[in-house]
């Protein structure tokens, strides 16, 4: 057996294990669990951290103000040092009929906490003040809906989330919002991004009460306030760049039950029209996911190449070199890879033929991950919206970006 054939067979074996032994990560039927309306609707505060989000609030905040929730619910939007009038836009939207409180819309409070203290990421600093404000406004608070400023919710979203969480006894329920897939680059990379996330954190495995795998989707998280306080949230994750996974771990470590699934009618309006936009999104946190470890980076590079790049390379090289074993193993591995991608493409309404492009997309993400490590080595850390987070043990050091 040639070296090429051996590598191709190893790649095929890896895909066999991923297909059957990785929590069925490729399935997309993990949706909101069974819902049953509670006898008493618990008080809920919707906390929205927002930094320079004026352009998307017309869609996202409007959808929150119009929530049809039978119980007491209020919105706290935290203007995190915005320079585009985010807070003023939010107040103006809340004052318009029919979204004003007098016409049935949810009450809105806008707070501006100022620049983060050393050791806090900007988002978690905003969440800290949003949660503190919510608790002071609502002494009987039972749930927190933590949602990003680019996320739109259908009118019954809050009702559905609370019904599902209360009926299933969940302390943290999060939905992976449907991301935008309008431009060619979005269609090429976004479904793959969700697939890779599910491969890293298989939803079914996350949702098992006895599982050690913990993850959440930060765009839409319903968190029981008692569980948040038990987990010391948000202080316990004050320096987390990947805060959604951190809060899921904190809740689970505190004995709470967590659940993660795909959304049907919770959507992101964040646009990533160019490859550069997607690259910035990935490069800001990919090396953080690898714990800033060169060893883990090397293993990730080798693993991604073996799993995603080897199958098409082995197929083409085997055909060219007259090595049928390599060609067959590579072709079978590529077929399994494409098959695992089909449910996600169907979820996003994209053509099945795009599954053949997954190796190319994976190599793109691999390059972005390496770029993330290079940025960290150059002291750039995780940069986001004008802030740079340079990792130190136990902290997230913050400075002004370019």
């Amino acid at each position: 057996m040639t070296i090429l054939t051996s590598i191709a067979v190893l790649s095929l074996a890896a895909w066999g294990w991923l297909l059957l032994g990785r929590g069925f990560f490729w399935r997309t039927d993990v949706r909101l669990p069974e819902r049953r309306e509670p006898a008493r609707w618990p008080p809920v505060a919707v906390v929205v951290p927002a930094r320079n989000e004026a352009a998307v609030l017309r869609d996202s905040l409007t959808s929150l103000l119009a929530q049809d929730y039978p119980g007491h619910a209020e919105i706290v939007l935290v203007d995190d040092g915005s320079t585009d009038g985010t807070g003023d836009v939010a107040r103006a939207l809340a004052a318009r009929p029919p979204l004003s409180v007098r016409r049935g819309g949810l009450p809105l409070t806008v707070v501006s906490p100022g620049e983060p203290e050393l050791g806090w990421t900007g988002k978690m600093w905003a969440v800290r003040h949003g949660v503190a404000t919510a608790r002071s406004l609502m002494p009987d608070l039972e749930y927190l809906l933590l949602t990003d400023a680019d996320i739109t919710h259908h009118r019954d979203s809050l009702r559905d989330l609370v019904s599902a969480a209360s009926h299933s006894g969940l302390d943290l329920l999060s939905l992976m919002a449907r991301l935008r897939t309008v431009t060619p680059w979005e269609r090429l990379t976004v479904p793959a991004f969700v697939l890779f996330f599910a491969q890293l954190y298989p939803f079914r495995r996350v949702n098992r009460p006895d599982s050690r795998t913990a993850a959440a989707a930060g765009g839409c998280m319903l968190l029981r306030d008692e569980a948040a306080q038990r987990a010391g949230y948000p202080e316990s994750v004050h320096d987390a760049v990947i805060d959604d996974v951190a809060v899921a771990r904190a809740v689970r470590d505190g004995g709470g039950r967590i659940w993660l699934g795909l959304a049907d009618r919770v959507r992101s309006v964040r646009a990533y029209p160019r490859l550069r936009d997607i690259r910035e999104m990935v490069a800001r946190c990919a090396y953080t996911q690898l714990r800033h470890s060169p060893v883990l980076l090397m293993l990730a590079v080798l693993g991604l190449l073996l799993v995603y790049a080897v199958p098409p390379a082995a197929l083409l090289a085997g055909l060219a070199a007259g090595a049928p074993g390599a060609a067959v193993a590579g072709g079978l591995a590529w077929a399994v890879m494409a098959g695992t991608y089909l449910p996600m493409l169907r979820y996003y309404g994209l053509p099945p033929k795009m599954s053949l492009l997954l190796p190319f997309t994976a190599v793109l993400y691999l390059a972005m991950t390496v770029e993330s490590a290079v940025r960290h080595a150059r002291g750039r850390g995780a940069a986001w919206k004008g802030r740079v987070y340079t990792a130190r043990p136990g902290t997230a050091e913050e400075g002004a970006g370019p």
Side-chain angles (χ1 to χ4, degrees):
M1 184 180 293
T2 66
I3 294 178
L4 176 62
T5 302
S6 299
I7 294 174
V9 170
L10 182 60
S11 179
L12 178 58
W15 271 109
W17 176 78
L18 288 170
L19 179 67
L20 301 175
R22 192 60 188 163
F24 297 100
F25 72 91
W26 41 270
R27 294 184 60 171
T28 57
D29 57 350
V30 184
R31 307 296 174 88
L32 201 62
E34 182 182 355
R35 301 180 289 281
R36 184 176 300 172
E37 293 192 354
R40 180 188 65 85
W41 289 96
V44 184
V46 183
V47 177
V48 186
R51 178 173 171 83
N52 293 331
E53 300 284 14
V56 299
L57 289 183
R58 186 177 302 277
D59 293 319
S60 60
L61 182 59
T62 297
S63 73
L64 292 172
L65 292 165
Q67 284 298 298
D68 179 19
Y69 185 68
H72 179 201
E74 298 192 26
I75 303 170
V76 179
L77 184 139
V78 187
D79 183 3
D80 179 23
S82 300
T83 58
D84 65 347
T86 289
D88 293 335
V89 170
R91 294 184 189 94
L93 288 171
R96 293 180 182 176
L99 301 176
S100 63
V101 177
R102 290 181 302 167
R103 303 296 182 92
L106 298 188
L108 171 71
T109 300
V110 178
V111 295
S112 301
E115 286 299 302
E117 293 179 356
L118 184 65
W120 284 78
T121 63
K123 180 178 179 180
M124 295 316 301
W125 180 254
V127 169
R128 176 193 182 188
H129 285 268
V131 170
T133 301
R135 288 171 176 165
S136 66
L137 291 172
M138 305 173 65
D140 58 346
L141 178 67
E142 293 188 36
Y143 283 97
L144 295 159
L145 174 59
L146 303 154
T147 183
D148 288 346
D150 65 308
I151 301 297
T152 65
H153 294 256
H154 67 93
R155 185 171 175 80
D156 295 329
S157 181
L158 188 55
R159 179 196 292 257
D160 288 346
L161 290 167
V162 171
S163 297
S166 60
H167 176 63
S168 300
L170 299 172
D171 295 291
L172 173 62
L173 184 157
S174 64
L175 292 176
M176 174 71 75
R178 283 184 186 261
L179 305 178
R180 218 183 79 127
T181 52
V182 175
T183 68
W185 283 116
E186 288 171 341
R187 290 194 289 271
L188 178 68
T189 59
V190 164
F193 173 83
V194 181
L195 182 75
F196 297 153
F197 182 88
Q199 193 177 72
L200 191 60
Y201 303 106
F203 293 174
R204 280 176 171 74
R205 188 169 295 178
V206 169
N207 297 343
R208 291 205 313 257
D210 60 343
S211 175
R212 298 182 61 183
T213 303
C220 177
M221 301 192 302
L222 184 73
L223 175 62
R224 194 186 301 273
D225 188 52
E226 180 184 354
Q229 296 189 52
R230 192 166 59 241
Y233 178 82
E235 286 77 11
S236 60
V237 295
H238 64 279
D239 61 344
V241 175
I242 308 176
D243 57 279
D244 43 12
V245 174
V247 66
R249 287 173 179 160
V251 171
R252 172 154 285 172
D253 290 345
R257 287 193 58 194
I258 66 175
W259 186 94
L260 169 64
L262 291 171
D264 288 314
R265 294 187 290 171
V266 176
R267 299 176 179 270
S268 172
V269 294
R270 176 82 62 206
Y272 295 99
R274 301 163 298 181
L275 179 60
R276 180 173 61 186
D277 303 312
I278 298 162
R279 189 186 74 196
E280 288 297 320
M281 182 266 292
V282 175
R284 73 183 177 91
C285 61
Y287 197 46
T288 302
Q289 183 68 57
L290 296 173
R291 305 173 190 172
H292 305 106
S293 167
V295 174
L296 290 180
L297 175 65
M298 181 183 67
L299 291 175
V301 169
L302 293 175
L304 283 171
L305 289 175
L306 174 67
V307 172
Y308 289 100
V310 164
L315 173 62
L316 297 176
L319 291 175
V328 170
L332 288 174
W334 196 0
V336 174
M337 181 200 314
T340 63
Y341 197 25
L342 289 175
M344 191 63 69
L345 291 173
R346 190 179 305 116
Y347 172 74
Y348 275 100
L350 297 175
K353 63 183 179 181
M354 291 191 66
S355 63
L356 297 177
L357 296 176
L358 187 56
F360 173 70
T361 307
V363 171
L364 276 181
Y365 275 107
L366 175 59
M368 296 173 197
T369 300
V370 172
E371 180 182 355
S372 178
V374 171
R375 290 187 182 190
H376 175 78
R378 292 177 176 175
R380 289 291 308 279
W384 186 243
K385 294 190 176 182
R387 290 192 176 114
V388 175
Y389 305 94
T390 304
R392 300 184 311 179
T395 67
E397 204 170 283
E398 186 171 75

